[in-house]
């Protein structure tokens, strides 16, 4: 079964965050870089529901996993 591809801004919508380009960039700039030893879903700025969604997306290799990986990589850059 083929997984749907979710654009980056849809992940922000799914997380209940502003999803326009400027807001996404500001979010990344505000929260990057994450420590190398911290899993994305463990970051202190997520609500419990957001953290649960991110963890499940990665653990279950859900259709959101690819774009969650993109977010993770974006937050690792300094």
């Amino acid at each position: 079964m083929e997984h749907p591809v979710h654009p980056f801004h849809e992940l922000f919508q799914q997380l209940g965050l502003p999803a326009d380009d400027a807001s996404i960039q500001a979010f990344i700039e505000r929260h990057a870089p994450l420590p190398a030893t911290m899993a994305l879903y463990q970051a202190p700025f997520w609500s419990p529901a957001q953290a649960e969604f991110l963890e499940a997306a990665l653990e279950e290799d859900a259709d959101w996993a690819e774009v969650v990986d993109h977010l993770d990589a974006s937050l690792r850059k300094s």
Side-chain angles (χ1 to χ4, degrees):
M1 182 166 104
E2 193 171 318
H3 293 296
V5 176
H6 294 284
F8 203 42
H9 74 275
E10 280 185 12
L11 176 59
F12 279 75
Q13 290 172 336
Q14 182 71 20
L15 293 168
L17 299 170
D20 60 277
D21 290 343
S23 295
I24 291 170
Q25 186 62 35
F27 179 90
I28 292 168
E29 288 174 4
R30 185 169 52 254
H31 297 295
L34 285 181
T37 57
M38 179 181 289
L40 174 65
Y41 62 87
Q42 294 174 326
F45 48 82
W46 301 122
S47 72
Q50 290 169 327
E52 183 179 329
F53 171 80
L54 293 167
E55 182 179 20
L58 294 172
E59 284 185 1
E60 298 168 9
D61 197 26
D63 59 333
W64 289 100
E66 186 175 332
V67 72
V68 171
D69 283 339
H70 179 156
L71 175 59
D72 188 29
S74 296
L75 287 168
R76 303 275 172 199
K77 297 176 184 173
S78 52

